[in-house]
Each structure stands twice: as structure tokens, then as C-alpha cells.
Amino acid sequence: MTQEEFILALEDLGLKATSNQLLQLEKFYQFLIETNKTMNLTRIVEKKDVYLKHFYDSLTLVKAYSFEGNLSLCDVGSGAGFPGIVLKIFFPNLKVTLIDALQKRINYLNNVIQVLGLVGIEALHVRAEDLAIKNKTFDIVTARAVASLPKLLVWCMPLVKQNGAFLAMKGNVNQELELTVNLLQKNHWILEKKISFLLPKEASNRTILIYRH
């Protein structure tokens, strides 16, 4: 996906990229690739692939949820910064917390925040379950390619505010969904919506699951 194709694809999502946002994404790409030479952040390094499979993919969450307004968001297992940092770039109103269990990834994320000049965003070296013990909750919790759905629900749902939502980003998820039935019943959690679509260009399966208390 070229930058031009990215801009057009965003319009289909109802988003219009500003020149500053495009500049931030370009800086993000350069920093990601440079850091990736000495640290295992992503196997996706071709620019067209990063724009499609990381940047665009992160923003497909707008298919499931409105990010307008004064909202707090926690990106669990943020890794290289997807979707958290990309969402922050496009929705500066979000108060974003990125969490990861690996200190060197947190160091990298803090460097990205600094390089891009982002405010209202922090990266914390903490596990989701430990953050939940502190009774920390958010309007939105996201997780992308972190773990199996049953594990994600146990980690992420305690971090969701009463009227908030957990947005799980997955590929083909049918088998995993079967494994969550008892877990949902036991905890009175609700799968509110399942949105399935194909990623442009390569037509790979994507699924966004919206969970609520």
C-alpha cells in the first residue's frame, strides 16, 4: 500500500489524513525500521507492508468504535506501538496508555512518543493483570495479535470501565470464539459485536470483537 493508496483507503474509513499526521507516520516508520535492526519489533519491514498491515490495520478500529471525545485508552501488549500510537496520531484527544511486559519495548515506545512529539500518552512496563490489581480502568482497551482470545479476555476485561469496551483485533477467530463461551457466561461479559472484513490489497481476514461488561 503506497502512501497515496493509504490516504484513499482512510477516506473509505471516514478519515482524512492531515499533512502533519502523514509526516508523523513517516517518522514513525523510519524509527521503527531503524530500531528493528537491533531489536525484534516486527517481521514486516517493507514500507508498503507497514502502511497496510500496521498503520491502516490499526485504524480499521474506527469500523467498530467512535474515538471522538475525551476518552482514555489502554493498548495491552502494545509491542511496536500498534494500534495505540497510530490511534493517538489520528485522535489526539485520546489519553493513551501503552503497556508491555518487556522493558526494552517500553524504552522504544517512549522514544517513539518523544520523536513524534506526542502528548497525553505514556508507556508503562506492567502486565495487564498487575494493572488491574491497582483498579486502573479505561474507556477503551485494545489488544492486537497478543494472545489467544480466552487469555485476552481475562487480562483485558478487568481494565474496562463499566460503560467502556474491549476491542480485540484478530484474524480468523471462529475456533477461538468457541473457547470463550463458558468464560463469558461465568463473568457476565457480553460479545456486543463481531465485525469481519478483508484487508485491502491482500484480502487477508480481519475480525474486530467488541466486548462489554
Side-chain angles (χ1 to χ4, degrees), residues 199-211:
L199 209 58
K201 308 289 286 180
E202 63 170 35
S204 54
N205 289 308
R206 290 292 186 273
T207 307
I208 299 170
L209 303 161
I210 307 173
Y211 290 96

Side-chain angles (χ1 to χ4, degrees), residues 56-155:
Y56 175 82
D57 189 53
S58 294
L59 291 166
T60 59
L61 280 174
V62 301
K63 291 175 177 281
Y65 205 87
S66 170
F67 292 92
E68 303 299 336
N70 188 24
L71 299 169
S72 58
L73 180 145
C74 180
D75 186 19
V76 173
S78 194
F82 308 113
I85 285 178
V86 182
L87 288 170
K88 179 64 184 178
I89 289 170
F90 277 81
F91 299 96
N93 53 290
L94 291 176
K95 186 171 182 355
V96 175
T97 301
L98 311 172
I99 70 171
D100 201 278
L102 203 62
Q103 182 64 57
K104 64 179 182 178
R105 280 201 290 259
I106 292 300
N107 295 343
Y108 151 81
L109 290 167
N110 278 316
N111 287 334
V112 174
I113 290 165
Q114 197 170 6
V115 166
L116 301 185
L118 299 174
V119 293
I121 180 170
E122 61 179 351
L124 303 177
H125 178 225
V126 65
R127 294 179 185 277
E129 51 268 48
D130 294 329
L131 196 59
I133 290 168
K134 298 176 183 177
N135 294 319
K136 189 84 172 128
T137 55
F138 304 85
D139 297 306
I140 309 158
V141 177
T142 59
R144 176 178 179 261
V146 176
S148 68
L149 206 46
K151 280 185 182 176
L152 282 181
L153 285 164
V154 170
W155 294 342

Side-chain angles (χ1 to χ4, degrees), residues 18-31:
T18 66
S19 55
N20 187 53
Q21 286 165 342
L22 293 172
L23 182 63
Q24 284 179 311
L25 287 180
E26 189 58 29
K27 282 183 181 175
F28 189 5
Y29 170 73
Q30 297 296 344
F31 191 80

